[in-house]
């Protein structure tokens, strides 16, 4: 019975690794046997799906929120860790695949005029500046809009602020992200917009959440996007909290214990 369960677990793990395009080696305690899962066919299948996505949407940067988007994120991580073969890197680059996730876009001066032009085109077509963060046709534009909002109005030169205003940029997103961080952030934003301060939130659930963000920042566990969001409300939000030199691991970034209000 135990051997049967071990076999079932082995196949389940193999299937999972195969789906993601990774591999694993299973060592048994009774012998030196190992099982290596070949995943080339699965990787090729996901690559073909990405190729079809590019043909349909004009970009190989599939947005997060589905299996293909998560697979793309995995390829970026594997490459950054030096674990993605050169042949696979070359094949992805042939599709003009971006090694920086669109959702992690930053505001760069050398791309300013190009992105402003793309933003204007979006407004002309849709009638508003509410570019989805996961905009399939131009995911980099969606990431850029989110990055501009995180940076805040005070983070731009007078000319850039004028460009944004003339283009119809909307500083408040009407799209309601359901993550706990964004729910609490919006609650804090409304409080600050009404003239409130974080000092007034002591002994409240929102005050507890703010304190948790500061602790996470001090430990180096708060991802840059969330730091920018909070500083956009108050540049001194983290005051004298100095982050530790260690960067957050993937597990720490996904750990909700320090970013959610229970």
């Amino acid at each position: 019975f135990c051997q049967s369960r071990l076999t079932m677990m082995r196949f389940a793990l193999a299937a999972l690794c195969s789906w993601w395009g990774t591999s694993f080696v299973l060592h048994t305690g009774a012998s030196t046997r190992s099982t290596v899962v070949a995943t080339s066919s699965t990787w090729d299948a996901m690559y073909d799906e990405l190729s079809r996505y590019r043909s349909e949407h004009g970009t190989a940067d599939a947005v997060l929120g589905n299996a293909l988007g998560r697979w793309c994120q995995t390829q970026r991580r594997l490459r950054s860790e030096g674990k993605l073969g050169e042949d696979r890197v070359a094949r992805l680059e042939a599709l003009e695949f971006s090694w920086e996730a669109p959702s992690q876009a930053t505001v760069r001066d050398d791309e300013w005029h190009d992105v402003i032009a793309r933003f204007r085109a979006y407004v002309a077509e849709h009638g508003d500046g509410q570019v989805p963060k996961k905009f399939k046709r131009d995911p980099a534009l969606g990431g850029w809009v989110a990055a501009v909002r995180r940076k805040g109005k005070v983070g731009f030169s007078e000319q850039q602020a004028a460009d944004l205003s003339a283009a119809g940029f909307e500083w408040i997103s009407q799209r309601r992200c359901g993550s706990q961080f964004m729910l609490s952030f919006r609650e804090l934003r409304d409080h600050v917009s009404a003239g409130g301060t974080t000092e007034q939130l002591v002994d409240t659930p929102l005050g507890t959440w703010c304190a948790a963000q500061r602790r996470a920042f001090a430990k180096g566990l708060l991802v840059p996007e969330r730091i920018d969001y909070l500083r956009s409300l108050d540049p001194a939000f983290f005051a004298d909290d100095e982050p530790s030199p260690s960067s957050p691991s993937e597990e720490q970034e996904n750990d909700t214990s320090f970013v959610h209000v229970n």
Side-chain angles (χ1 to χ4, degrees), residues 27-46:
H27 297 277
T28 64
S31 67
T32 58
R33 290 184 301 112
S34 63
T35 303
V36 179
V37 180
T39 60
S40 295
S41 60
T42 303
W43 194 93
D44 289 341
M46 295 299 291

Side-chain angles (χ1 to χ4, degrees), residues 13 92 109 203:
L13 182 57
L92 288 168
D109 290 343
D203 296 328

Side-chain angles (χ1 to χ4, degrees), residues 160-239:
Q160 288 175 326
D163 290 343
L164 290 168
S165 178
F169 191 84
E170 298 180 29
W171 291 96
I172 304 298
S173 173
Q174 302 304 316
R175 301 177 183 277
R176 313 303 284 180
C177 173
S179 73
Q180 185 61 54
F181 177 88
M182 289 308 299
L183 291 173
S184 297
F185 172 79
R186 282 195 291 269
E187 185 180 351
L188 178 62
R189 183 188 65 197
D190 293 343
H191 173 76
V192 172
S193 297
T197 66
T198 55
E199 287 76 12
Q200 298 169 336
L201 299 173
V202 176
D203 296 328
T204 68
L206 188 57
T208 300
W209 179 83
C210 290
Q213 308 315 303
R214 293 188 175 103
R215 288 196 301 274
F217 174 79
K219 294 178 181 178
L221 303 180
L222 199 62
V223 295
E225 291 78 11
R226 294 183 174 183
I227 294 173
D228 291 342
Y229 270 125
L230 292 166
R231 281 179 169 160
S232 71
L233 296 182
D234 179 4
F237 182 88
F238 296 104

